[in-house]
């Protein structure tokens, strides 16, 4: 999945006074904190949650925080105050596990300081590294009290109770019960504190088994939530002040849940249903797979004003030979034809993508095919990475790995082209009039930041009381990573 936007990461960094992020070198890293609403009482415990990775990890941290709130945990901004410290980890990049162990080494000193003061601090590792490493985390980092995978975090309160009884807990089995049915819904106050935009997971796991990807092994097979659950959570979010919802899934457009009429719905039908919720102004979804982009979803982009004209549709490479080696099960021509269909339905669409450079066996000719694809599609945004072997995946077992210096050189060339196209798209927005959802304060007094329909940060002069409003603006100029606008 794509990273949380740059300005969101910077805002989170200002709130976290702790050791350096273990994923500082990861382009997919996002750093967020989510903690539950304060519960009255003198015995309230404090929790610090540190989140790495994609939007789904950010959503998972929020849901863990909601569950902990029911157990009497309140927010803390600093780990030194925490009775419980959770690392919600990401396994998408190379050496992710080793970086977690390095982080835990620094946390050990903090826990020892707390123990010297006669104060308890429990340490938990959650997320995809927890799922992949399991018992190994307890063996290598004895300070850890709890290891819990992304499919079992609804069991977190019970697991913590077992830890307090003296047990070291590892919860990484794929749960038989539906974790979403067993999670408490977020409280209205907690929703309001998180802002006017929200993530909502509708699908988890992946059945595609791309040869570079660890997701099927850490998140499991594809599972879709039923419409009733999704609608209930969406209505709760809107009641708490949320104006824009982004539906999440490892392959979100593979979602196929039971509808309110008993039929199996697809994502296009779900989006139409959600668009009918009063008070919900905008819908987005991510991340999509080209093979799951059906006619109904394309038609939703044509028909729904609330569905923003932005699509993250990773292709990974432009060479058919490399796409086959990646087990993507589509060709470059298939991708071009799909893009043509989507743009015919929604001409104003902005595209985003993911690219992996230097997959084993990639030749210069293969890489040139990727550059040619980028030149033809012209992405408004994109995320690009050097291939890094993930243990247990077929790609890691290959012997024809591309030299590191070659990968680095190719990545620089690709990013230069992607950056050029992104700048050109931003310039094309100047003088356009758009509806802007005001999300949060800007860096300077009297400024607010919102998102364009194409997901770019837009800065405009406005009062903080207007957060949550949708105003009409005209784009006046571009910045390094944002747009500037005047109210109309």
């Amino acid at each position: 999945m794509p990273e949380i936007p740059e300005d969101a990461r910077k805002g989170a960094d200002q709130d976290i006074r702790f050791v350096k992020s273990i994923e500082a070198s990861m382009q997919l890293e996002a750093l967020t904190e989510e903690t539950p609403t304060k519960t009255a009482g003198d015995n309230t415990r404090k929790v610090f949650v540190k989140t790495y990775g994609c939007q789904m990890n950010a959503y998972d941290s929020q849901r863990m925080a909601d569950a902990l709130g029911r157990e009497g945990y309140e927010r803390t901004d600093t780990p030194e105050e925490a009775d419980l410290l959770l690392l919600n980890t990401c396994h998408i990049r190379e050496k992710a596990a080793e970086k977690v162990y390095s982080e835990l080494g620094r946390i050990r000193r903090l826990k020892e300081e707390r123990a010297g003061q006669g104060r308890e601090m429990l340490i938990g590792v959650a997320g995809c590294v927890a799922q992949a490493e399991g018992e190994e985390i307890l063996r290598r980092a004895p300070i850890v009290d709890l290891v819990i995978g992304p499919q079992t975090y609804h069991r977190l309160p019970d697991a913590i109770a077992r830890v307090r009884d003296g047990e070291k807990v590892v919860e990484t089995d794929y749960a038989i019960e539906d974790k979403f049915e067993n999670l408490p819904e977020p409280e209205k106050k907690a929703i309001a504190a998180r802002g006017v935009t929200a993530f909502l997971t509708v699908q988890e796991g992946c059945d595609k088994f791309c040869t570079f990807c660890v997701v099927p092994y850490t998140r499991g097979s594809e599972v879709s939530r039923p419409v009733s659950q999704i609608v209930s959570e969406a209505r709760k979010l809107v009641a708490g002040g949320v104006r824009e919802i982004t539906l999440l899934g490892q392959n979100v457009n593979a979602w196929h849940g039971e509808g309110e009429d008993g039929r199996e719905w697809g994502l296009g039908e779900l989006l139409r249903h959600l668009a009918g919720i009063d008070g919900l102004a905008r819908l987005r979804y991510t991340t999509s797979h080209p093979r799951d982009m059906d006619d109904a979803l394309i038609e939703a982009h044509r028909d729904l004003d609330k569905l923003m004209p932005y699509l993250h549709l990773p292709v990974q490479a432009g060479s058919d030979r490399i796409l086959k080696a990646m087990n993507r099960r589509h060709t470059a021509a298939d991708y071009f034809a799909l893009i043509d269909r989507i743009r015919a339905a929604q001409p104003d669409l902005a595209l985003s993508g993911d690219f992996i450079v230097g997959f084993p066996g990639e030749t210069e000719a293969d890489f040139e095919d990727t550059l040619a694809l980028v030149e033809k599609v012209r992405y408004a945004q994109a995320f690009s990475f050097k291939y890094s072997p993930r243990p247990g995946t077929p790609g890691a077992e290959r012997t024809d790995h591309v030299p590191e210096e070659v990968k680095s050189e190719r990545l620089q060339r690709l990013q230069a082209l992607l950056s050029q196209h992104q700048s050109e798209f931003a310039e094309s927005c100047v003088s356009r009039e758009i509806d802007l959802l005001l999300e949060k304060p800007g860096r300077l007094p009297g400024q607010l930041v919102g998102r364009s329909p194409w997901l770019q940060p837009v800065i405009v002069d406005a009062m903080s009381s207007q957060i949550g409003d949708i105003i009409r603006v005209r784009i006046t100029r571009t910045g390094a990573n944002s747009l500037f606008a005047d109210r109309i």
Side-chain angles (χ1 to χ4, degrees), residues 357-358 362 364 386-387 401-413:
V357 170
E362 182 188 74
E364 178 63 22
K386 292 186 293 185
Y387 171 75
H401 289 275
V402 177
E404 194 66 27
E405 62 273 15
V406 174
K407 288 192 287 187
S408 296
E409 189 271 337
R410 288 176 183 169
L411 182 63
Q412 289 180 4
R413 288 158 60 194

Side-chain angles (χ1 to χ4, degrees), residues 75 97 143-144 194 197 205 220 296 362 399 422 424 429 433 462 470:
R75 177 188 180 108
I143 65 158
V144 174
R194 292 168 183 164
T197 65
E362 182 188 74
T399 58
Q422 182 172 334
E424 290 171 358
C429 296
E433 296 181 6
I470 295 176

Side-chain angles (χ1 to χ4, degrees), residues 200-204 223-225 230 247-248 252 255 267 270:
L200 199 170
T201 293
V202 301
Q203 180 272 341
E204 287 191 301
V223 176
S224 297
R225 297 178 69 184
I230 297 167
L247 306 183
L248 299 181
V252 68
W255 178 89
L267 186 62
L270 175 63

Side-chain angles (χ1 to χ4, degrees), residues 330-343:
H330 63 77
T331 65
D334 294 334
Y335 188 79
F336 290 140
L338 177 59
I339 296 301
D340 288 344
R341 288 169 54 210
I342 299 168
R343 283 178 165 161

Side-chain angles (χ1 to χ4, degrees), residues 48-333:
F48 179 94
V49 183
K50 189 174 183 179
T51 308
Y52 308 94
C54 61
Q55 292 101 323
M56 191 171 286
N57 261 19
Y59 174 86
D60 286 350
S61 288
Q62 290 177 350
R63 298 310 302 272
M64 284 191 283
D66 294 333
L68 290 168
R70 301 295 176 92
E71 301 300 313
Y73 282 87
E74 72 167 9
R75 177 188 180 108
T76 180
D77 292 345
T78 57
E80 290 82 6
E81 297 179 353
D83 301 288
L84 169 64
L85 192 152
L86 286 174
L87 301 180
N88 191 11
T89 59
C90 176
H91 204 256
I92 196 72
R93 302 298 291 158
E94 187 177 14
K95 299 180 181 177
E98 292 305 315
K99 292 172 183 177
V100 169
Y101 293 124
S102 177
E103 178 89 331
L104 289 170
R106 291 186 285 267
I107 292 172
R108 177 180 58 81
R109 295 191 290 271
L110 179 60
K111 186 169 183 173
E112 289 172 350
E113 290 175 7
R114 288 288 298 269
Q117 300 166 2
R119 301 163 63 200
E120 179 185 61
M121 173 182 278
L122 302 182
I123 308 297
V125 178
C128 290
V129 170
Q131 186 70 38
E133 293 287 297
E135 295 274 359
E136 180 69 4
I137 293 176
L138 297 184
R139 187 188 71 80
R140 292 187 57 180
I143 65 158
V144 174
D145 303 288
L146 166 67
V147 177
I148 191 161
Q151 304 306 321
T152 49
Y153 63 73
H154 59 293
R155 300 176 184 171
L156 184 58
D158 175 69
I160 292 172
R162 290 161 56 195
V163 168
R164 294 194 180 282
D165 286 338
E167 183 180 349
K168 291 276 190 176
V169 176
V170 176
E171 283 277 8
T172 55
D173 294 336
Y174 289 103
I176 297 174
E177 72 274 21
D178 183 345
K179 73 178 181 184
F180 293 103
E181 287 185 353
N182 290 276
L183 283 167
E185 289 191 338
E187 296 181 0
K188 189 173 182 178
K189 184 177 179 181
I191 294 170
R194 292 168 183 164
V196 298
T197 65
F199 298 129
L200 199 170
T201 293
V202 301
Q203 180 272 341
E204 287 191 301
C206 183
D207 294 342
K208 300 298 188 290
F209 288 93
C210 297
T211 57
F212 55 80
C213 186
V214 74
V215 167
Y217 312 102
T218 57
R219 288 277 183 172
S221 59
E222 290 178 358
V223 176
S224 297
R225 297 178 69 184
V227 172
S228 58
Q229 277 189 12
I230 297 167
V231 171
S232 175
E233 187 171 340
R235 291 189 184 279
K236 189 83 171 180
L237 291 170
V238 172
V242 168
R243 305 296 312 280
E244 176 181 294
I245 292 176
T246 300
L247 306 183
L248 299 181
Q250 265 83 33
N251 283 326
V252 68
N253 57 343
W255 178 89
H256 53 280
E258 181 183 352
E260 295 181 342
D261 55 5
R263 295 185 300 108
E264 183 176 274
W265 292 10
L267 186 62
E269 194 166 2
L270 175 63
L271 286 164
R272 290 180 186 274
H273 193 66
L274 293 173
I277 296 177
D278 290 339
L280 179 60
R282 290 181 164 190
L283 284 163
R284 302 183 189 271
Y285 63 92
T286 196
T287 292
S288 300
H289 194 288
R291 294 182 62 245
D292 294 316
M293 201 79 195
D294 61 18
D295 290 341
L297 184 52
I298 294 173
E299 290 165 4
H301 278 280
R302 179 194 66 196
D303 299 337
L304 299 180
D305 291 337
K306 290 185 179 181
L307 181 57
M308 294 295 96
Y310 175 89
L311 175 62
H312 185 71
L313 192 65
V315 64
Q316 306 299 355
S319 161
D320 287 346
R321 193 178 71 85
I322 295 300
L323 288 170
K324 184 177 181 179
M326 289 178 168
N327 195 35
R328 293 291 290 175
R329 289 180 281 181
H330 63 77
T331 65

Side-chain angles (χ1 to χ4, degrees), residues 383-397:
F383 307 92
S384 52
F385 313 93
K386 292 186 293 185
Y387 171 75
S388 59
R390 309 309 302 129
T393 62
E397 298 173 2

